[in-house]
Amino acid sequence: MKPQDFLFVILFAVLLILRRPRLLVFAGLGCLLLAIPLFAGWIFFTAERLTWYAAAFFLTFIVLSLVRGRKVQ
């Protein structure tokens, strides 16, 4: 497991425990912002991983938003 994978798992777990969808969006955007200079520097492996992490954050945001929206009050 590479260091960026380890940090992703820790950050993802913390954000899931907090259950704040807005933070998931910010984490996804942060991953994409970090990936841009890596793509420009031809560091494709790490940049590609960061885009996958961003997709995971966005997908989790969508799932949490749908689950929250379905609760009957």
Side-chain angles (χ1 to χ4, degrees):
M1 191 182 252
K2 301 244 181 206
Q4 70 264 19
D5 297 334
F6 185 68
L7 290 174
F8 166 72
V9 170
I10 291 173
L11 180 62
F12 192 72
V14 167
L15 291 176
L16 279 180
I17 291 169
L18 292 177
R19 288 195 149 245
R20 299 183 78 192
R22 193 171 184 182
L23 292 178
L24 289 165
V25 172
F26 289 136
L29 290 174
C31 286
L32 291 177
L33 287 174
L34 287 174
I36 291 170
L38 293 175
F39 275 123
W42 294 71
I43 305 170
F44 292 118
F45 179 78
T46 303
E48 181 189 10
R49 285 284 176 109
L50 285 171
T51 56
W52 279 105
Y53 299 157
F57 286 130
F58 293 143
L59 181 64
T60 307
F61 165 76
I62 292 169
V63 169
L64 285 178
S65 296
L66 289 174
V67 168
R68 279 188 173 184
R70 291 186 177 213
K71 288 185 180 178
V72 177
Q73 296 187 17

